[in-house]
Amino acid sequence: MLQTASILFAITALGGLLMAAIRFATKHNPPAWLAMGHGLLAASGLTLVIYALCTQAVPPTVLFALVLFLLAAGGGASMSLAYKWRQRLLPAWLVIAHALIAAIALVLLLLAVFGGSPDQAG
């Protein structure tokens, strides 16, 4: 389950990199369909991580990764609701903070899933 969540978050990260590139290269917000797909994949990964935490033994690092992913999700929701839907350019600092928090969470999850013992990987 955590392996699937890791894959979903990795795909989500690729979409996030594409959206950041669009934002910084064109000085326009990325298209809504891309942002919504990014959020849907992230929410799917979050759901799997939460389910794994509730149903099986997982390394403590997974809980810390979850907290960071939730923090990143809050930033993503803020960007969508407070800026994108009001057609205001996403602030660079928020895009970068969102990306850094999510990247740290992804690294922690990957280390917990693929760097630990196989019986804890889920």
Side-chain angles (χ1 to χ4, degrees), residues 1-17:
M1 192 169 324
L2 291 177
Q3 291 175 348
T4 303
S6 298
I7 293 167
L8 287 172
F9 281 125
I11 296 168
T12 301
L14 293 174
L17 288 172

Side-chain angles (χ1 to χ4, degrees), residues 26-51:
T26 67
K27 303 289 190 226
H28 291 92
N29 289 334
W33 64 266
L34 185 56
M36 293 177 105
H38 176 77
L40 180 63
L41 284 172
S44 299
L46 279 172
T47 302
L48 287 176
V49 171
I50 291 168
Y51 185 75

Side-chain angles (χ1 to χ4, degrees), residues 35-114:
M36 293 177 105
H38 176 77
L40 180 63
L41 284 172
S44 299
L46 279 172
T47 302
L48 287 176
V49 171
I50 291 168
Y51 185 75
L53 279 165
C54 292
T55 61
Q56 61 194 49
V58 296
T61 311
V62 174
L63 180 59
F64 188 52
L66 174 64
V67 170
L68 291 176
F69 277 130
L70 289 171
L71 186 61
S78 295
M79 284 189 283
S80 181
L81 297 173
Y83 294 96
K84 186 160 181 39
W85 290 114
R86 294 180 183 168
Q87 298 185 2
R88 296 183 348 203
L89 189 62
L90 299 172
W93 70 268
L94 188 54
V95 172
I96 293 168
H98 170 75
L100 286 175
I101 292 168
I104 292 168
L106 178 58
V107 168
L108 289 173
L109 182 63
L110 291 172
L111 288 173
V113 173
F114 297 107

